[in-house]
Amino acid sequence: MGDIRQSLLPRDVLSAAKELLYHLDIYICNMVQSGRQPPQVDSKTLDLIEEFILHTPKDRNTPRMSALQELQLLEIMCSCFQEQSRDTVRQLMFSALFNLQGNQADESRMALLSKLVSMAVAVGRVPILECAATWLQRTHRLYCVRLAQVLVDDYCSMVPGSGPTLHNIHSASPRFCCQFIAAVTTLYDLTSEELTPPMELLQMIVSWIQDDPRLVLITFLNSPLSGSQPISSLDVTPLGGLIRWCIKAPLAYRRNKKQANDGSSDGELDAARLFSALHLSVLQVFMLLPNILNEKGLFGRLALLQMESVAALTSDLSRLLDQADKHTHAATSDTHAAPQLALDRLAQALQVAMASGALLCSRGTSDLLQLVLSGPVIPHAAHSPIPAHPTLPPHTPHTPLAAHPAPHAQYPAQPFMTGMPFPFRPGH
């Protein structure tokens, strides 16, 4: 495609970009048709994309697009992906446009990608959302959370009433929603009030998972499994991030309230109910896993929840518990409620994850698992520090949790689930 550059130079910026997209589509179709393996766009074509679509040429100054021209380009790109019927061609074209190259054009790539995906959500362009799901699966998590942040800003923060637009895509592109959940649970780690998920986002994710618990397993179910998952990419399922939300939420909201010197609010109570519902939904997802893993011949062989992420979570939880100790000046009926709830949820999540085959580890030889699985959970004032880096031998059977103490009035117990080989309470 390098020979078309001279024909693009005299054109205005929008016309040149449109013409290049047209030729790129033909070029990739021919490449796929020829059966070249692996199909790969050459460097000259990538240079053209950077020059005429991203406007970051190496050897000349080019005029920037106006806001109106950029909007028109986004509409052209939406139509281009919508009209191309072959998914292989769409995916290769999306990769050529937006795969990061480690150069100065990457910032322009991210800016254009974020606007294109946001527009695709607004106008329901499923082919672009499917391509974006693949991009999220293969790209460094730092860039994935940047895309997620733009979407949260556009649909959950900046424009009132726009949330339903994002909410409604879960049936159109479950793959995208699964990857989006993985990205936002990585972005919002509850380490500060700013990194606490907005209420509208939380409501949307709870609703998605309640409607379809298998949604968070879509990437795992539909992707070829390999042992070479890049450590920098998003997790293959968002289960670890969702567990982190549920466990840290009681202490994080308590910390945020104290920092704001504020009392309980309706918003805090709404969040507590949503995290309770989310915790129950995540446990229900775990209960789907034994059959799925057995069907794939992976039960006891593939951990969907990594021990490293559990170690990081317990380290975070230990810090939050210590902070709760330091800020507790007088004992009240609520003094131990939030710490106890967090520890209860950690115990429940680890117990069900181990029983379902999602977490492969041993019980009885680790201080971490002795703390959270030997129940009942002791009052917070007497809790032992949670080790940050437990060393766990290979998986062995474990014994059930003992019954938990009576729940706090603010966090009513939910019914026991049937069909489990041990007693547990799904969440408060």
Side-chain angles (χ1 to χ4, degrees):
M1 278 186 46
D3 56 350
I4 71 167
R5 182 174 185 270
Q6 294 304 316
S7 68
L8 298 177
L9 285 172
R11 295 175 177 264
D12 65 81
V13 288
L14 181 60
S15 175
K18 182 177 180 180
E19 183 72 10
L20 179 56
L21 285 171
Y22 171 76
H23 284 285
L24 181 62
D25 184 60
I26 294 174
Y27 166 73
I28 292 176
C29 283
N30 290 338
M31 182 171 59
V32 171
Q33 190 74 24
S34 70
R36 185 196 308 176
Q37 294 297 328
Q40 191 169 356
V41 175
D42 61 49
S43 60
K44 289 184 178 179
T45 301
L46 294 178
D47 287 343
L48 290 173
I49 290 171
E50 291 181 2
E51 182 173 359
F52 292 100
I53 294 178
L54 303 177
H55 304 112
T56 53
K58 299 178 177 63
D59 58 357
R60 71 183 183 94
N61 293 322
T62 58
R64 306 294 297 180
M65 283 189 176
S66 67
L68 178 59
Q69 287 174 321
E70 187 174 57
L71 177 60
Q72 291 172 321
L73 175 61
L74 293 171
E75 291 173 341
I76 291 168
M77 295 178 81
C78 279
S79 299
C80 181
F81 281 95
Q82 192 73 22
E83 292 166 7
Q84 174 52 252
S85 60
R86 286 182 286 182
D87 183 62
T88 302
V89 175
R90 290 196 300 258
Q91 294 286 353
L92 286 170
M93 192 168 179
F94 199 89
S95 295
L97 290 166
F98 299 116
N99 275 9
L100 302 175
Q101 303 297 319
N103 59 24
Q104 64 177 356
D106 281 350
E107 285 302 313
S108 296
R109 277 190 181 86
M110 285 302 302
L112 187 62
L113 170 67
S114 299
K115 293 170 184 175
L116 179 64
V117 175
S118 185
M119 174 178 280
V121 170
V123 297
R125 291 293 184 258
V126 175
I128 290 177
L129 297 178
E130 289 293 301
C131 290
T134 303
W135 185 92
L136 286 165
Q137 193 175 342
R138 296 175 178 173
T139 304
H140 195 293
R141 64 177 62 198
L142 292 178
Y143 291 95
C144 294
V145 300
R146 285 179 58 179
L147 174 57
Q149 180 71 76
V150 169
L151 296 177
V152 172
D153 288 344
D154 286 352
Y155 292 99
C156 300
S157 301
M158 297 176 66
V159 183
S162 59
T165 304
L166 181 58
H167 181 279
N168 292 335
I169 66 168
H170 77 285
S171 57
S173 182
R175 282 185 65 236
F176 177 79
C177 291
C178 180
Q179 292 301 119
F180 175 72
I181 295 172
V184 295
T185 54
T186 303
L187 170 63
Y188 294 102
D189 60 5
L190 283 86
T191 54
S192 66
E193 187 169 3
E194 292 75 21
L195 293 176
T196 300
M199 186 68 68
E200 193 163 7
L201 175 65
L202 179 60
Q203 290 173 329
M204 180 172 61
I205 291 176
V206 170
S207 175
W208 281 351
I209 301 175
Q210 286 178 332
D211 289 347
D212 181 10
R214 293 171 69 96
L215 176 69
V216 297
L217 302 175
I218 289 291
T219 302
F220 166 63
L221 293 173
N222 294 329
S223 301
L225 298 175
S226 69
S228 59
Q229 179 81 1
I231 194 169
S232 61
S233 62
L234 296 173
D235 293 340
V236 69
T237 77
L239 287 171
L242 292 170
I243 288 171
R244 182 168 58 247
W245 275 13
C246 297
I247 291 170
K248 293 175 67 174
L251 292 167
Y253 275 81
R254 185 168 180 258
R255 175 203 60 209
N256 294 345
K257 181 178 69 175
K258 285 183 176 294
Q259 289 175 349
N261 197 24
D262 195 8
S264 296
S265 65
D266 292 341
E268 183 189 357
L269 295 175
D270 289 342
R273 285 190 287 267
L274 286 169
F275 280 114
S276 177
L278 181 61
H279 181 61
L280 175 58
S281 294
V282 171
L283 296 184
Q284 290 171 330
V285 173
F286 277 125
M287 293 173 66
L288 299 173
L289 285 175
N291 287 339
I292 293 172
L293 292 172
N294 278 320
E295 288 173 3
K296 291 177 171 285
L298 295 172
F299 191 89
R301 296 173 53 207
L302 177 69
L304 291 180
L305 194 62
Q306 299 300 317
M307 198 60 230
E308 292 80 2
S309 67
V310 174
L313 171 59
T314 56
S315 179
D316 289 346
L317 182 56
S318 181
R319 283 193 293 271
L320 285 169
L321 291 169
D322 289 340
Q323 290 172 9
D325 273 341
K326 292 174 183 177
H327 289 91
T328 299
H329 303 296
T332 68
S333 60
D334 289 338
T335 298
H336 304 310
Q340 184 69 54
L341 178 56
L343 289 169
D344 281 353
R345 285 181 178 171
L346 176 62
Q348 293 162 5
L350 291 182
Q351 181 192 31
V352 179
M354 291 171 69
S356 67
L359 177 64
L360 306 181
C361 60
S362 170
R363 184 210 184 277
T365 58
S366 161
D367 289 341
L368 165 65
L369 295 185
Q370 286 175 0
L371 172 66
V372 297
L373 293 180
S374 61
V377 178
I378 58 177
H380 171 58
H383 87 272
S384 303
I386 302 175
H389 301 287
T391 302
L392 301 178
H395 177 68
T396 58
H398 60 281
T399 57
L401 279 175
H404 283 281
H408 188 275
Q410 187 179 354
Y411 307 103
Q414 294 170 326
F416 286 85
M417 287 183 178
T418 59
M420 297 299 295
F422 41 77
F424 79 103
R425 192 169 67 244
H428 309 338

